[in-house]
């Protein structure tokens, strides 16, 4: 069988040239010449709506995994039904087609198995190694048809990737707005975004630059009239709450709004978090009798950073390792997604957006930033937004309020600090001061400076730096290099648009800020079977070039990590120096030591942190440690890249004088809030024991009046009768759900 492997969360750097080439993929016709009666591959005349493709791929992944598990457990007939449905859902999913062949072979249905293998060959399957060593195909190897399949693997693979054919219509401006719908977009599997193609150009140029009565509005108007400011020409505005808290475009007439068509609205992708779309500027260039291609309008060397980090756990080709040693199929379920008949010139565009919404009324209440960040693929999407000049503002609602209970507030409940968006203190409408300040700042840049930032994908990071550096309490670089300038959530009353506008106007194209890019070099994570008891590893919250975050479930007192910013970049090739700053946390429990082999890198050592005020004297408390990394090019510091460590609040840990874990009480602290999408509940208390040499010998688990003994390897000790030594039994931890959906951990023995 081919194990269906979900891509490991992480970041793949795409230069603009590579970025667009992954999007524009020429397709061939879907499976042809297969018998629907035998292999259930009847093909729909029309592909699915492109807006439904991400959900279909997610469902396909889940079902493929289910089918593989059924094959492993010997339930071949059930597996065949699952893979048959997968092939019906996505006929060009080579993994599903191949795995259906395996199910047929294991059931002794040899003719059907060969039919599916031929289908996989037509889709581009070429792995002789897979065919020769896959035990699922043992019943076929001595047959002459198998030799024919092997011979077919020597033939060239199809020149064009199989997939659904879509015709893309580039959205045009009408009535001073863009209306985008399913016909203007395509799902980019590699980047995990829905790319929207729009003829942005210099839209808004014919309109007045500013209608604001504020003093900064007069400054922008004066600069623009003199050709010293770019205005909001070509800037897009995405209101994602259906006008609930929309920016007044009368103050910024050149901003061009994005509106959403009926297909987007029907699926409610126009409301709530913007976790789907990446907007790009596209121009058609007819080129008869030539292969479709994309011409970037900026050079690859203008990209921010040459090596911002690889996908952790991935092979050099970007595919995660299959730990079972199986080779995945050569093509994934949906590599081919769109047919393009002309050359496209695609470039980044600037998008300012907001959504003054939140999830309320369930166990999974949360602000939009927390929803996006802690959802599958959220970190990758936010990274794409950050690299491609998309900046959004969301209110915190109830995620960042003083207190430690439901009546007042739960403190800062975010598990990570990031530079991907701005979070406003408050609820609906609290985003407005940020939207106005950011729109004005965009208008104030000198034309060549703004073009430089736009083409290199540095606009979002530069706006982050400007707002933080110009916030009212921040008066110096020393203030900027402190936790005061980099809270999780910002107070709108402290935003200073006048300073922001002036800073943007003063910025020269040859002096734009650098971007800090992190690469994780080493870390040791806890063992989910022994250190924190879970069904799966659950300490990695996110690993991106701009933010790294860990959930500190392990009971080890110290955590170590080696991180380097050496891949950071200055587009003007200025030399860089770096500042490592503890923004939040106890200085006595954090060390950042230089690494001899890499002067820019630091070996981080983070001790256990109980809940504490976010800053000295603050009423707001947090369970998180934040470290900021800043690149300096001699003129400007970069926006921060963050490294965060979150210690769950629903447990009470006690360490002895040697910093060994003495006890962890999960039950009594269960009333404290933790994000249920990140941390599962446990209902016991563990008391740890050590031998005379100081090594862990085991622990006692207490639930009410019940006690259980475990050895140092996490095995349950049972028996201990009639003087016989107890038997060590392996324990398996499973995740289950309460009726409201919150997860909890249960244990059972494997025997």
């Amino acid at each position: 069988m081919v194990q269906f492997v979900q891509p490991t969360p992480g970041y793949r750097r795409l230069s603009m040239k590579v970025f667009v080439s992954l999007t524009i993929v020429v397709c061939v016709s879907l499976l042809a010449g297969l018998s629907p009666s035998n292999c259930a591959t009847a093909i729909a005349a029309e592909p699915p709506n492109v807006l439904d493709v991400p959900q279909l791929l997610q469902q396909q992944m889940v079902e493929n995994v289910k089918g593989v598990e059924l094959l492993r457990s010997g339930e071949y007939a059930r597996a065949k039904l699952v893979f048959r449905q997968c092939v019906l859902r996505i006929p060009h999913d080579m993994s599903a087609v191949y795995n259906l062949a395996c199910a047929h072979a294991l059931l002794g249905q040899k003719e059907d198995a060969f039919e599916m293998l031929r289908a996989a060959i037509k889709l581009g399957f070429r792995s002789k190694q897979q065919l020769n060593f896959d035990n699922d195909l043992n019943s076929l190897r001595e047959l002459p048809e198998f030799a024919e399949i092997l011979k077919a693997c020597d033939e060239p693979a199809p020149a064009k990737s199989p997939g659904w054919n879509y015709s893309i219509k580039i959205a045009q401006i009408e009535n001073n707005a863009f209306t985008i719908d399913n016909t203007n977009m395509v799902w980019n599997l590699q980047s995990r975004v829905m790319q929207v193609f729009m003829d942005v150009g210099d839209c808004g140029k014919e309109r007045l630059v500013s209608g604001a009565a504020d003093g900064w509005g007069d400054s922008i108007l004066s600069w623009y009239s003199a050709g010293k400011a770019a205005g909001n020409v070509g800037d897009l505005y995405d209101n994602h709450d259906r006008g609930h808290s929309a920016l007044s475009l009368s103050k910024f007439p050149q901003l061009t709004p994005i509106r959403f068509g009926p297909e987007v609205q029907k699926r409610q992708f126009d409301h709530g978090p913007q976790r789907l779309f990446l907007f790009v500027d596209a121009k058609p260039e007819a080129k008869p009798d030539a292969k479709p291609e994309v011409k970037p309008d900026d050079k690859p060397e203008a990209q921010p950073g040459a090596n911002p980090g690889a996908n952790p756990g991935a092979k050099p080709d970007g595919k995660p390792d299959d730990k079972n040693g199986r080779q995945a199929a050569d093509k994934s379920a949906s590599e081919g997604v769109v047919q393009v008949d002309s050359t496209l010139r695609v470039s980044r565009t600037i998008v300012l957006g907001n959504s003054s919404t939140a999830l309320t009324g369930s166990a999974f209440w949360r602000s939009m930033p927390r929803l996006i960040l802690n959802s599958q693929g959220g970190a990758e999407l936010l990274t794409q937004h950050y690299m491609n000049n998309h900046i959004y503002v969301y209110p915190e609602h109830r995620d960042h309020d003083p207190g430690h209970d439901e009546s007042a507030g739960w403190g800062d409940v975010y598990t990570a600090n990031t530079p991907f968006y701005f979070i406003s203190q408050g609820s609906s409408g609290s985003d407005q001061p940020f939207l106005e300040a950011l729109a004005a700042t965009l208008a104030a840049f000198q034309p060549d400076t703004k073009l430089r930032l736009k083409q290199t994908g540095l606009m979002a990071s530069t706006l982050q730096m400007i707002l933080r550096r110009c916030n009212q309490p921040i008066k110096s670089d020393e203030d900027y290099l402190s936790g005061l300038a980099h809270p999780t959530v910002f107070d709108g009353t402290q935003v200073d648009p006048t300073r922001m506008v002036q800073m943007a106007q003063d910025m020269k194209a040859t002096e734009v800020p650098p971007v800090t890019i992190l690469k994780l070099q080493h870390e040791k994570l806890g063992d989910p079977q022994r250190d924190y008891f879970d069904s799966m590893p659950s300490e990695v919250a996110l690993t991106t070039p701009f933010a790294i975050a860990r959930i500190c479930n392990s009971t080890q007192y110290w955590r170590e990590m080696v991180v380097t910013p050496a891949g950071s970049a200055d587009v003007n090739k200025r030399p860089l120096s770096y500042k490592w700053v503890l923004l939040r946390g106890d200085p006595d429990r954090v060390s950042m030591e230089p690494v001899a082999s890499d002067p820019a890198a630091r070996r981080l050592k983070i001790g256990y942190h109980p809940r504490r005020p976010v800053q000295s004297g603050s009423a707001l408390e947090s369970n998180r440690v934040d470290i900021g990394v800043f690149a300096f090019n001699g003129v400007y510091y970069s926006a921060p890249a963050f490294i965060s460590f979150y210690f769950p609040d629903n447990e009470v840990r006690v360490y002895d004088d040697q910093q060994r874990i003495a006890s962890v009480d999960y039950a009594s602290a269960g009333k404290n809030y933790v994000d249920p999408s990140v941390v599962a509940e446990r209902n016991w208390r563990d008391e740890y024991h050590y031998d005379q040499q100081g090594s862990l010998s085991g622990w006692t688990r207490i639930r009410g009046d019940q006690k259980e003994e475990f050895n140092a390897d996490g095995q349950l000790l049972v028996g201990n009768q009639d003087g016989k030594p107890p038997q060590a039994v392996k324990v398996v931890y499973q995740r289950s759900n309460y009726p409201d959906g919150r997860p909890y951990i249960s244990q059972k023995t494997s025997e």
Side-chain angles (χ1 to χ4, degrees), residues 362-364 676-677 679 681 735-744:
S362 78
F364 290 83
S677 69
V679 179
E681 293 185 11
R735 284 197 174 207
S736 303
N737 296 96
Y738 294 115
D740 62 3
R742 289 177 297 118
Y744 66 90

Side-chain angles (χ1 to χ4, degrees), residues 429-549:
S430 62
D431 47 8
Q432 287 299 311
F434 297 87
L435 292 172
E436 290 193 3
L438 293 169
T441 304
L442 285 170
F445 285 110
Q446 297 179 37
D448 58 341
T449 301
K450 189 171 185 179
L451 180 62
R452 186 72 162 148
L453 294 171
K454 175 183 175 181
Q455 289 183 341
T456 55
L458 291 176
M459 183 58 79
S461 62
T462 299
L463 289 175
Q464 284 280 353
M465 183 278 290
I466 289 176
L467 188 142
R468 294 164 186 268
R469 182 62 179 82
C470 295
N471 221 12
Q472 289 182 13
I474 309 306
K475 306 299 183 183
S476 65
D477 284 347
E478 183 179 359
D479 291 340
Y480 181 71
L481 298 175
S482 74
L484 186 65
H486 309 288
T488 322
V489 174
F490 289 85
D491 184 347
T493 64
Q494 295 181 346
V495 175
D496 192 335
T498 301
R499 287 176 64 194
M500 292 174 63
V501 163
Q502 188 63 56
M503 190 174 194
Q505 170 62 199
D506 292 341
M507 188 175 292
K508 299 177 181 178
T510 56
E511 298 176 348
V512 297
V515 59
T516 299
I517 298 172
L518 303 177
K519 183 178 181 180
L520 176 63
Q521 294 185 323
H522 172 75
E523 71 174 326
K524 183 178 180 181
L525 298 172
D527 181 349
Q529 289 297 310
R530 190 181 69 172
D531 294 333
Y532 57 92
F533 318 115
D534 204 339
S535 61
M536 57 187 178
S538 56
E539 292 197 300
V540 177
L542 67 148
T543 304
T544 77
F546 312 108
I548 297 171

